[in-house]
Amino acid sequence: GNQLQTPKQNFRVEDSAQAWQKLANNKLAFYWYAGGDGFGRGLFERAVEAMGYLEKDTGVTVERPIQIWIYGNRADFFRALGPGARDWTGGRAHPEYGIILINVDAGALEWGKAATAHELTHIIIHERIRGPLGSISMPQWMDEGLAVYYETVPNKLDAQFSGPLKRAVDSNALLSLRSISGNFPSNGNDASLAYGEGFSVVDFIVRQYGAGKLAQLLQAFKAGGDYDDIFMEVLKVDTDGLENLWRKDIGAPPREVAPRVKLAPS
């Protein structure tokens, strides 16, 4: 029945199957094993640039070093992810540990730069709005939309997402924002559309309301609460109202919305 309590200790696990190369500064440790020095340095420099841009834009100061691990082989990457990863997954961020895993082929430097900025955005945005219990609550379309929005400077939607978005607008087949506020679709085509919609709505918010309102939204999500209440507080519209304003902006017909009844607790 005796008990012994010991201080917390860090336990570090590394993938020792790869011959990792490393570049680092006081805020970022970057690892890769496929591709030469130019490949690794190109991704590292893009990460440093993106970090500075995000810190300035969001007001976050990165206080603990972020680790980025670049896998040059898809099989290696999925072994590192573990079971349950979707076949279209190209990167994964673990904000609770400050760790990012990305699959970047040595011949896909430009794609890798965008993917690196994308996953880094997740880490920094989550740091910005993480609550006192370490949890984060915001619509998935906004979380991913922000990550896609900050992939490039100036902000531009990649063809893999802009194509599905245009086709959905033309055929009136957009996904409702409520349907992608939780998990994204498992189907690759629908997932690409969800990413495209997320970018487009974030871009609309910045253009229509200004970057200051976006910062207010992040602060409101940090405090927590119902998504509709937060949008109403900051933008004066709920999720459905925001969706129809965005639809009008991109030339899509409005979506008919049934009245929503908010029940009071009994």
Side-chain angles (χ1 to χ4, degrees):
N2 294 331
Q3 294 183 356
L4 175 65
Q5 293 187 352
T6 62
K8 284 185 177 181
Q9 296 187 42
N10 291 329
F11 182 76
R12 183 178 177 86
V13 178
E14 288 191 15
D15 185 349
S16 59
Q18 314 303 334
W20 297 101
Q21 301 179 71
K22 178 181 178 182
L23 288 169
N25 60 24
N26 62 333
K27 294 185 178 182
L28 180 67
F30 186 88
Y31 303 84
W32 81 103
Y33 64 86
D37 291 343
F39 171 79
R41 187 165 295 280
L43 293 180
F44 175 73
E45 290 175 352
R46 175 65 183 118
V48 171
E49 178 187 48
M51 181 178 289
Y53 181 64
L54 282 159
E55 284 187 318
K56 179 177 180 295
D57 219 35
T58 65
V60 175
T61 299
V62 176
E63 296 180 349
R64 61 173 178 174
I66 294 173
Q67 302 173 57
I68 301 178
W69 301 79
I70 302 295
Y71 281 84
N73 178 281
R74 196 141 184 83
D76 294 342
F77 173 66
F78 273 89
R79 278 194 293 270
L81 292 186
R86 293 172 175 172
D87 57 6
W88 46 262
T89 300
R92 178 168 292 177
H94 297 276
E96 67 274 28
Y97 302 117
I99 291 175
I100 296 170
L101 309 178
I102 313 176
N103 173 214
V104 185
D105 184 89
L109 177 59
E110 293 307 312
W111 182 90
K113 289 179 179 179
T116 298
H118 180 110
E119 300 300 338
L120 196 59
T121 299
H122 281 310
I123 295 284
I124 292 177
I125 292 295
H126 283 229
E127 185 70 25
R128 172 73 172 82
I129 70 172
R130 186 174 56 193
L133 298 180
S135 60
I136 177 174
S137 179
M138 67 189 304
Q140 184 76 357
W141 63 259
M142 190 171 183
D143 189 12
E144 293 295 350
L146 285 164
V148 177
Y149 185 78
Y150 285 111
E151 283 182 2
T152 59
V153 180
N155 317 102
K156 182 180 179 182
L157 188 58
D158 188 86
Q160 66 174 318
F161 305 133
S162 63
L165 178 61
K166 183 180 185 307
R167 289 190 292 271
V169 171
D170 292 343
S171 60
N172 193 21
L174 291 168
L175 304 170
S176 73
L177 292 190
R178 290 195 186 279
S179 72
I180 53 175
S181 288
N183 291 331
F184 272 11
S186 57
N187 175 276
N189 291 331
D190 288 343
S192 293
L193 174 57
Y195 279 102
E197 288 191 23
F199 169 95
S200 185
V201 179
V202 168
D203 178 65
F204 170 72
I205 291 172
V206 173
R207 288 186 291 103
Q208 180 70 24
Y209 298 95
K213 288 294 184 182
L214 182 61
Q216 286 182 39
L217 279 175
L218 293 179
Q219 187 60 37
F221 283 120
K222 177 181 176 65
D226 180 81
Y227 295 163
D228 283 314
D229 291 344
I230 290 173
F231 285 126
M232 187 64 72
E233 174 192 346
V234 179
L235 304 181
K236 309 307 179 189
V237 291
D238 64 4
T239 301
D240 297 319
L242 174 62
E243 177 175 345
N244 277 333
L245 288 174
W246 162 68
R247 280 172 170 261
K248 181 179 180 180
D249 182 69
I250 63 174
R255 186 170 65 84
E256 292 187 11
V257 179
R260 298 180 68 246
V261 178
K262 190 170 183 179
L263 300 176
S266 58

